[in-house]
Amino acid sequence: MYQHALRIISTLLFCVYSCLLTAQSAQIQGIDTIFQKSKLFDQIFTGFALYEPQQDSFLYRRAADKYYTPASNTKIFTLYTSLAILGDSIPALYYQETDSSFVFWGSGSPALLYSRLPEDESVLDFLGQQTKPLYFSTHNWKEDHFGPNWAWDDYNYAYQCERTPFPIYGNHVTFSHEKNALSFTATPSYFQNSVSIDEDLPNRYPRFVRDLDDNKFQCNYAALTGNKYERFVPFRYSDELFVQLLSDTLKREIKIYEEIIQIADIKAFYTAMPSDSIYQLLMQESDNFIAEQLLLTASNHLFGIQNSKQIIDFMKRTSLQDLADEPQWVDGSGLSRFNLFTPRSVVQVLDEIYKLLPEERLFNIFPAGGVSGTIEDWYEAEQGEQPYVFAKTGTLSNKHCLSGYLRTKSGKTLIFSFMNNNYIGSSSPVKREMQGILEYIRDSY
């Protein structure tokens, strides 16, 4: 009797297992069929990995061990580094008091007077309350202002602001104009009189162009009249400029500190700004400036110096040492084409983030398909349904990646990484093909 019952149970288990294998085989075949029917995927280099975190297993892999240029998918590594090292407490600055001075230096935090973040004047209030003379130190800055392999001729674009020891105003000038006004307004106002008219600039739309090596700007006639606009142009950083801008804001003198900082009695000042405000801007709007500065902030937090390579090497030796494929990782934003990741390693990092944060918070940080961020116009849920894709895009010329989390109709949360390199023309056809596969996975798993 007992043996007969065991045989029945074994038969039932075998049937269930066989059914599961059959279902999995059909799902895999379904994804394979979509890839095989696609003329586009046949022409370009595409890697894809699909992973189920609850079972700790890959459900599907296509060239997932090959290296691709990740573009802004690099920010996934930056987010993980920030969460692992900084967590919910991002220092605003460090300081040291002597009998006759108050010396402060940057943590790397991007928040001070950055208009894309919630307004927070706590740093200004803190510095303004000090009764001793203020001195700014750069002893902890051990970095270049531009990353490896950044395009030199992108210096005028807002997506390539310089990395600096203590960012202010997002490290760019905002030129704004109200409808029917006869001129523009520069923020910070320090740059208001640094602009001249260049008659050779086209007048199809308002333009502001900075000289390569200094803070002289040219605008066209369209910038003086017409409709409302905002233009963002990076400024050329120097310690003297930072001190001038902060002095103008605080309305008190700040000097550059030339002496050696003593190791003892260093304190940190933290603002009340929620860290997720910064992480959301990093991921949803793919803010390169935020990404670079967060990496420097993590470096300063651990080592007392701001150096991207040092924090990247540390992460690769520790938290990321078990990645399936060692990443070639050189900056925080993905502006560099030296970055090279594999889809399965990106999935592993996403899985580590998934273990750190509850889904509600995690999905609030990442862009949501059809709702927010860089995928607001793509991967829209069916009518009446909640978003099913929460993922980070990565786009450079001829390269488009998407990696993140997918909610299936059966209630599972899956992790995926889609990496596409070397296509010609617009990324829209690539996105349409990707959307078809992700919709199939949503409906089938």
Side-chain angles (χ1 to χ4, degrees), residues 6-292:
L6 283 178
R7 283 197 296 270
I8 293 174
I9 293 172
S10 297
T11 301
L12 289 172
L13 288 174
F14 177 76
C15 290
V16 170
Y17 181 67
S18 298
C19 290
L20 287 173
L21 288 179
T22 301
Q24 289 175 359
S25 178
Q27 292 162 342
I28 292 170
Q29 184 60 45
I31 300 174
D32 274 337
T33 299
I34 299 175
F35 272 116
Q36 291 164 6
K37 287 183 177 180
S38 169
K39 294 182 180 179
L40 185 145
F41 285 135
D42 190 49
Q43 283 187 314
I44 69 177
F45 296 96
T46 294
F48 180 64
L50 182 66
Y51 177 82
E52 185 172 7
Q54 292 82 8
Q55 300 297 324
D56 188 22
S57 63
F58 282 93
L59 303 176
Y60 186 90
R61 282 177 284 190
R62 172 190 169 92
D65 60 341
K66 308 302 181 187
Y67 283 90
Y68 302 84
T69 302
S72 282
N73 269 201
T74 305
K75 294 182 177 74
I76 294 169
F77 283 63
T78 301
L79 175 65
Y80 176 56
T81 301
S82 301
L83 290 169
I85 294 175
L86 301 172
D88 296 334
S89 301
I90 300 176
L93 59 82
Y94 297 95
Y95 63 97
Q96 185 178 79
E97 291 189 74
T98 69
D99 292 339
S100 58
S101 63
F102 184 92
V103 185
F104 67 96
W105 54 96
S107 66
S109 168
L112 181 61
L113 296 173
Y114 188 23
S115 60
R116 300 181 73 189
L117 289 170
E119 185 175 343
D120 179 9
E121 296 192 352
S122 57
V123 170
L124 301 179
D125 292 340
F126 176 71
L127 292 175
Q129 291 167 3
Q130 306 308 316
T131 57
K132 297 174 183 176
L134 295 177
Y135 289 86
F136 171 62
S137 172
T138 59
H139 71 279
N140 59 330
W141 176 252
K142 307 295 179 184
E143 187 56 278
D144 296 321
H145 291 292
F146 295 100
N149 196 234
W150 288 10
W152 72 267
D153 54 349
D154 284 348
Y155 75 90
N156 196 68
Y157 295 101
Y159 57 77
Q160 192 166 292
C161 294
E162 294 184 33
R163 306 185 293 197
T164 66
F166 202 143
I168 187 170
Y169 292 102
N171 288 351
H172 67 253
V173 186
T174 301
F175 296 103
S176 57
H177 177 269
E178 296 299 326
K179 187 176 182 179
N180 298 326
L182 298 179
S183 187
F184 55 83
T185 300
T187 305
S189 60
Y190 174 86
F191 296 102
Q192 187 70 43
N193 297 320
S194 301
V195 185
S196 59
I197 297 174
D198 187 339
E199 297 181 359
D200 294 328
L201 284 175
N203 278 298
R204 294 189 300 273
Y205 56 88
R207 290 194 64 190
F208 292 85
V209 179
R210 199 198 80 210
D211 288 357
L212 176 62
D213 294 319
D214 58 38
N215 289 309
K216 294 178 182 177
F217 301 82
Q218 290 77 44
C219 71
N220 57 8
Y221 284 108
L224 303 179
T225 59
N227 295 322
K228 183 176 180 178
Y229 67 77
E230 280 189 329
R231 294 290 181 269
F232 309 103
V233 182
F235 55 66
R236 189 77 178 92
Y237 175 83
S238 68
D239 297 336
E240 291 75 16
L241 175 62
F242 170 77
V243 165
Q244 182 65 56
L245 293 177
L246 189 55
S247 295
D248 289 350
T249 303
L250 291 176
K251 295 181 172 50
R252 61 178 293 184
E253 185 180 28
I254 302 172
K255 296 180 180 179
I256 295 175
Y257 193 69
E258 305 287 355
E259 305 298 323
I260 297 174
I261 297 292
Q262 302 300 318
I263 299 299
D265 299 324
I266 293 175
K267 299 177 182 178
F269 176 75
Y270 293 82
T271 72
M273 180 180 293
S275 60
D276 281 8
S277 296
I278 296 176
Y279 296 150
Q280 285 171 349
L281 189 56
L282 167 72
M283 302 303 284
Q284 294 188 16
E285 303 303 324
S286 200
D287 192 301
N288 295 330
F289 162 70
I290 292 278
E292 296 300 332

